[in-house]
């Protein structure tokens, strides 16, 4: 009679062992890895009210460090991912013998948005990026953005031969910035990079042509890097590149080259640079282009009418350039939300067709051009439009004709310095309407 029970117990015992083994096989943290994590944490000062991860690592409640927040392990229990961004860390730098650098299996490390800098009374003192970070040779993802690291970043990123994402960017309003004194050396062997964010890093150099050989690159973000000289046009033509940002490099010159069929770029921004020349008609070959930001450059010539084929456009800013001629017809760009052509030399009249079907457009700015003719009444019936800037142009005609605008969402309307006559109809009930002195009776 005892045999079945024994069998049952034996079966139960064996199956629980199997189960335990399976759990273990998934990721049971290795004890030395756990020790390293705890050592690393104890070397950090952090605000436990801001921390959602570090503060919850608990040896006694969770023996398995692989389930700790922000930690991920491989199947053998090595820590491969440490995501500690926004953890309220206020530690003065990372010690060169930190346990962090012994987590040799790490593939992803994110320390972004912490405060590794120290503070004197008035100015923050940036923390150096320790050269030992290059010991983590399995890293594919490294994010030190806005973390208080500054000064020269040591050469040798090339030792991280698996790196595909590197983010060292800092916000423009922070005082702390990293510097890369020699781009050529820095990126010598990094051709496998997919995402590179160096915004705010002081590069003080020309952009090396060899970046165009980084054929895996999808994002290249180099805004406010103090770039010099002429930007290599070949970089625009990297196949598969999705985002290119060169904003706020006041000394950077360049031209926008022609684009082959099926170009992949979705976002181009060269705002506030010395880019010049005209915009090539082949811009229409970038069929997924969504954001095109050219403000504050030296572009001239007419805006290619082929832009009308760019159905994915959402945001267009060509303001403060020297474009002439007419405004393209954007009626196929149904996702357009914002369009700014202010402060150019555009002349041709607007037709109501220009704005047909633009149901998402919120912002239109054509201020300070030489646009003549009537203001198309259809402008006032765009369902989402909130701001319309038309002042300082040569619009003429009577404004009385803009009837039927009671559904308008308009909050701001600027019409001054035109040749308009008549009295303006009541567009909305509230005082939300801002009409500057327009030379006509209100
Ligand atoms: C870990 O959890 C135990 C039991 O809930 C608790 O007593 C202890 O204070 C915790 N330790 C930390 C560091 O949060
Ligand atoms: C790093 O930490 C060790 C042990 O805590 C200490 O002896 C050493 O001075 C520190 N090094 C630096 C550069 O702070
Ligand atoms: C970094 O790597 C070097 C050489 O590979 C080794 O001597 C050193 O101990 C490593 N440092 C750490 C902190 O693991
Ligand atoms: C790095 O990754 C490879 C393959 O993913 C692995 O075999 C190796 O053990 C890892 N760790 C180190 C320190 O190289
Ligand atoms: C780096 O981390 C910050 C903070 O979490 C995040 O906003 C940013 O997108 C990350 N960068 C990359 C390239 O993933
Ligand atoms: C880059 O690769 C070349 C060739 O493989 C090698 O000789 C060189 O040492 C590498 N550079 C760095 C900085 O790792
Ligand atoms: C780019 O790669 C090609 C072929 O691999 C090579 O011939 C050329 O020299 C490289 N260009 C630069 C600027 O490194
Ligand atoms: C461009 O894309 C279209 C549609 O996906 C395809 O038919 C065409 O062959 C592609 N052209 C080139 C040059 O890749
Ligand atoms: C445009 O985006 C779609 C959807 O992501 C993608 O399938 C297509 O290949 C892209 N076209 C080009 C030319 O990159
Ligand atoms: C688009 O690319 C094709 C192939 O390079 C080219 O023949 C055509 O002229 C381009 N389109 C425009 C509008 O330039
Ligand atoms: C317009 O936006 C919607 C929603 O974001 C998206 O699904 C659609 O693909 C976009 N259309 C084009 C042509 O990009
Ligand atoms: C009016 O527009 C012209 C053409 O863009 C510009 O030169 C001028 O400065 C503008 N005037 C004002 C007062 O903004």
């Amino acid at each position: 009679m005892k045999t079945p029970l024994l069998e049952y117990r034996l079966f139960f015992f064996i199956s629980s062992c199997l189960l335990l083994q399976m759990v273990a096989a998934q990721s049971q943290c290795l004890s030395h890895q756990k020790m390293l994590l705890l050592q690393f944490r104890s070397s950090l000062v952090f605000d436990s009210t801001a921390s959602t991860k570090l503060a919850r690592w608990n040896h006694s409640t969770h023996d398995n460090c692989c389930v700790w927040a922000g930690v991920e392990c491989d199947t053998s229990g090595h820590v491969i991912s440490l995501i500690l961004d926004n953890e309220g860390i206020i530690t003065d730098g990372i010690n060169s013998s930190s346990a962090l650098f012994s987590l040799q299996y790490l593939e992803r490390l994110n320390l972004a948005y912490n405060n590794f800098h120290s503070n004197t009374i008035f100015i923050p003192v940036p923390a150096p990026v320790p050269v030992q970070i290059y010991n983590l040779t399995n890293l594919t993802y490294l994010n030190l953005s806005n973390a208080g690291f500054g000064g020269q970043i040591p050469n040798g990123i090339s030792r991280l031969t698996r790196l595909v994402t590197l983010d060292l960017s800092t916000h423009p309003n922070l005082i702390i910035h990293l510097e890369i004194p020699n781009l050529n050396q820095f990126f010598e062997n990094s051709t496998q990079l997919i995402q590179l964010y160096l915004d705010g890093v002081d590069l003080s150099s020309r952009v090396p042509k060899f970046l165009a050989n980084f054929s895996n690159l999808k994002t290249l973000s180099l805004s406010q890097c103090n770039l010099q000289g002429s930007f290599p046009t070949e970089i625009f033509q990297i196949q598969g590149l999705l985002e290119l940002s060169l904003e706020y490099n006041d000394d950077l010159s360049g031209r926008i080259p022609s684009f082959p069929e099926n170009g992949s770029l979705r976002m181009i921004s060269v705002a506030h640079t010395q880019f010049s020349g005209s915009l090539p008609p082949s811009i229409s070959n970038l069929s997924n282009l969504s954001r095109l930001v050219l403000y504050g450059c030296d572009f001239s010539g007419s805006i290619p009418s082929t832009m009308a084929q760019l159905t994915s456009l959402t945001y267009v800013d060509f303001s403060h350039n020297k474009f002439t001629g007419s405004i393209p017809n954007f009626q196929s760009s149904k996702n357009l939300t914002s369009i700014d052509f202010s402060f150019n030399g555009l002349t041709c009249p607007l037709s109501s067709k220009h704005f047909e079907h633009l149901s998402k457009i919120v912002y239109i700015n054509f201020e300070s051009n030489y646009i003549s003719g009537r203001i198309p009444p259809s402008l006032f019936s765009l369902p989402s439009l909130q701001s319309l800037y038309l002042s300082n142009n040569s619009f003429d005609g009577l404004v009385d004709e803009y009837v039927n605008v009671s559904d308008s969402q308009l909050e701001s309307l600027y019409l001054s310095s035109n040749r308009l006559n008549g009295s303006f109809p009541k567009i909305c009930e509230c005082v939300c309407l801002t009409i500057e002195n327009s030379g006509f009776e209100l």
Side-chain angles (χ1 to χ4, degrees), residues 281 284-287 305-313 329 332-333:
S284 61
N285 273 342
L286 304 178
S287 53
S305 59
T306 54
M307 278 196 78
Q309 295 159 34
L310 293 171
T311 52
S312 298
L313 280 180
N329 189 332
S332 309
S333 313

Side-chain angles (χ1 to χ4, degrees), residues 265-277:
L265 276 163
R266 289 172 185 196
M267 192 277 261
I268 299 176
S269 175
V270 298
H272 237 279
T273 63
Q274 314 242 338
F275 264 68
S276 61

Side-chain angles (χ1 to χ4, degrees), residues 117-273:
H117 63 265
S118 56
N119 279 302
T120 59
I121 296 170
F122 294 113
I123 43 163
V125 179
V129 173
V131 68
Q132 288 76 13
I133 204 128
Y134 303 136
N135 266 34
L136 303 174
T137 49
N138 269 7
L139 280 182
T140 58
Y141 177 97
L142 177 59
N143 190 341
L144 301 178
S145 132
N146 295 297
F149 293 108
Q152 289 193 357
I153 178 160
N155 272 332
I157 203 93
S158 303
R159 288 175 59 193
L160 303 180
T161 52
R162 298 183 183 189
L163 205 59
V164 294
T165 301
L166 177 62
D167 189 345
L168 302 176
S169 57
T170 39
H171 275 309
N173 51 356
L174 292 184
I175 305 169
I176 292 174
H177 295 281
L178 284 161
E179 295 158 36
I180 299 177
N182 187 334
L183 270 183
N184 293 27
Q185 260 175 20
F186 193 74
F187 289 117
E188 195 173 16
N189 292 337
S190 310
T191 51
Q192 68 296 330
L193 279 171
I194 293 176
Q195 291 179 300
L196 179 56
Y197 294 88
L198 298 179
D199 309 87
V201 177
D202 188 357
L203 302 177
S204 291
S205 71
R206 305 173 75 87
V207 178
K209 235 186 199 154
F210 71 72
L211 274 183
N213 269 4
F214 285 28
S215 54
N216 296 325
L217 213 52
K218 296 210 181 307
T219 305
L220 180 60
S221 206
L222 301 176
S223 61
Q224 227 165 12
C225 288
N226 196 11
L227 295 172
Q228 316 281 319
S230 173
F231 186 77
T233 50
E234 294 86 345
I235 292 175
F236 279 94
Q237 288 151 338
I238 297 173
Q239 270 202 347
L241 187 65
L242 300 176
E243 294 184 6
L244 177 60
S245 176
L246 303 170
E247 290 178 12
Y248 291 90
N249 285 288
D250 294 348
D251 298 329
L252 181 69
S253 60
R255 282 167 184 271
I256 297 193
S258 58
F259 294 100
E261 209 176 326
N262 294 350
S264 50
L265 276 163
R266 289 172 185 196
M267 192 277 261
I268 299 176
S269 175
V270 298
H272 237 279
T273 63

Side-chain angles (χ1 to χ4, degrees), residues 37-47 54 57 82 84 87-95 98 100 111 114 116:
L37 286 175
L38 291 171
Q39 272 174 20
F40 180 51
R41 181 176 68 174
S42 69
S43 75
L44 299 174
V45 180
F46 58 92
D47 172 358
L54 283 171
W57 290 3
L82 198 50
L84 298 175
E87 278 292 293
I89 298 170
I90 41 174
T91 303
D92 177 7
I94 299 182
N95 189 316
S98 168
L100 176 67
L111 299 175
N114 285 297
F116 281 98

